[in-house]
Amino acid sequence: SFQKYSKATQNTGAMGLFRGFSLELIPEDEVEEEVSLNNALESVHLKNEHGAEDGELMLKMKFLPYMVRTFICRNGLSIMEKSRAAFEDYALNQFTRWGMSETALYKWMPFFRGWAMYCQSPPSVTSDRRKLPTLSSKLYLHHYNEFSKLFVDGHFQAAKSNERSFRGTIVLVGLERTTLAPLAKMLMGKLSCSKIITNSNDLSQTDMVRSIQRENGGIVCTSEIKDGTKAIRNLAKRFESALYIVMVGCSERELESSLAELHTDNPENRKITGMVRGWMKCK
């Protein structure tokens, strides 16, 4: 283990083993003089994370492959006993919590699905006929390394026929949800979307992550103008390229006609008209 190796090699001059790195943060008002880059590099030193002096603020950062290997592929083994779907949800939730980019999701989610497929029936020998131990959280690295090689060679990857043509989330915005429902149902069928969400305030980060996955398919969401744009604005900060907002019956003429039929009062009309402008600018 990492701790055993560190203890065994202490003061021996052996190469250090690193899982990540740390940065020491020094407030600007505590820096006595300007330090050049060369001087800063010459003063770099390694310090045990448990040996930090009092008052020092350390920022620990771990490399993504280590995070993936340890916190998803290893820790997710027990979750995988429930189902592959449960493991995929766990992996998605971890990536969402870490704030990973769409690019990272595109790269790693097929890898996690492949790992789940591998773990359902792990081999007893490697591709070059070396014996593998029984898959467990303590000995998983033997299998992880073998799977990584197989995955690069094209094994344990989803068939192209399972990929959906549309990825992302379409948000249909209109005056009344009932008028949006038929259009949402039609789009879901035409684009092979995975589901319909009937209120934009119920759309979550996990939904967005799922909607951009090749195997899951997109999402159609309906929203009344008065639902507001707060939830969509928050999601757009991270998923702007995956959000498609479609205004239905929201032109000035269409709104005037619809509001007249609903017999709403003038203050309510002005409020709705203002919210339409907000919707048009929310992304």
Side-chain angles (χ1 to χ4, degrees), residues 70-88:
T70 305
F71 297 110
I72 295 182
C73 292
R74 184 196 67 183
N75 293 1
L77 286 174
S78 58
I79 297 171
M80 210 179 296
E81 294 175 1
K82 300 177 183 176
S83 67
R84 279 171 51 186
F87 172 75
E88 287 184 28

Side-chain angles (χ1 to χ4, degrees), residues 39-46:
N39 289 338
L41 291 174
E42 289 174 2
S43 66
V44 168
H45 63 282
L46 299 176

